[in-house]
């Protein structure tokens, strides 16, 4: 399925020149092209290709900034890629737009848990660096 969606996206890229198209033509093309990008994002996410999923979800968000499904896909992908701050921004907006969506809520909880783990790791690293620096300052130079 992902291959077919990708072929569809490339077909539009082959014949469609954004700089030469009228607003009406762009709207018609986007009406077909954006669902292809969104479906490709979903397929890529399920296949574990999170960078690809985030890129295709971003294509949708560029044209439809309040598309909850695209924000969810990009947020979940960013979480998997370790971009916790970007993921949190996407998922919080997706949760506002789709407050009853269980998948969005679950992804937001997982992202916040990842954020807590990341902060704890940073605190531990900071303490170790401070302890190492204090030990370094206390020992005489050779």
């Amino acid at each position: 399925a992902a291959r077919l969606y990708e072929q569809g996206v490339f077909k539009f890229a082959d014949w469609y020149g954004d700089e030469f198209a009228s607003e009406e033509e762009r709207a018609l093309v986007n009406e077909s092209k954006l669902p292809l990008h969104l479906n490709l994002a979903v397929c890529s996410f399920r296949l574990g290709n999170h960078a690809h999923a985030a890129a295709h979800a971003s294509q949708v968000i560029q044209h439809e900034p309040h598309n909850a499904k695209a924000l969810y896909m990009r947020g979940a992908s960013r979480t998997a890629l370790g971009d916790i701050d970007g993921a949190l921004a996407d998922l919080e907006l997706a949760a506002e737009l789709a407050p009853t969506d269980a998948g969005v809520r679950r992804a937001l909880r997982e992202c916040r848990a990842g954020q807590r783990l990341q902060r704890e790791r940073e605190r531990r690293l900071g303490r170790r660096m401070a302890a190492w620096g204090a030990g370094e300052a206390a020992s005489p130079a050779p």
Side-chain angles (χ1 to χ4, degrees):
R3 187 174 301 132
L4 293 175
Y5 292 131
E6 198 161 71
Q7 287 174 358
V9 168
F10 287 134
K11 288 291 181 196
F12 281 111
D14 287 345
W15 66 267
Y16 175 68
D18 194 43
E19 61 276 358
F20 301 112
S22 68
E23 279 299 315
E24 184 180 331
E25 290 169 329
R26 273 191 221 110
L28 285 171
V29 168
N30 285 336
E31 189 177 306
S32 298
K33 190 174 162 183
L34 296 180
L36 291 172
H37 277 295
L38 189 53
N39 289 337
L40 191 50
V42 172
C43 288
S44 297
F45 183 82
R46 289 182 180 164
L47 292 170
N49 190 345
H50 303 295
H52 201 240
H56 284 285
S58 291
Q59 287 292 316
V60 176
I61 294 166
Q62 180 179 350
H63 296 282
E64 296 177 358
H66 292 99
N67 186 311
K69 188 172 182 181
L71 288 161
Y72 162 67
M73 275 289 98
R74 189 171 74 176
S77 297
R78 284 177 163 179
T79 299
L81 293 168
D83 177 8
I84 301 298
D85 294 332
L88 199 54
D90 286 341
L91 293 170
E92 285 175 344
L93 182 53
E96 283 179 33
L97 296 169
T100 60
D101 188 314
V104 172
R105 293 286 177 198
R106 182 177 54 256
L108 185 55
R109 278 193 309 272
E110 291 170 3
C111 184
R112 286 181 175 150
Q115 184 184 43
R116 285 189 296 274
L117 286 172
Q118 185 179 35
R119 284 184 181 160
E120 181 55 35
R121 281 189 213 120
E122 289 170 357
R123 278 193 287 270
R124 276 187 269 150
L125 180 61
R127 285 192 298 261
R128 283 194 311 208
M129 290 174 67
W132 181 76
E136 188 76 16
S139 60

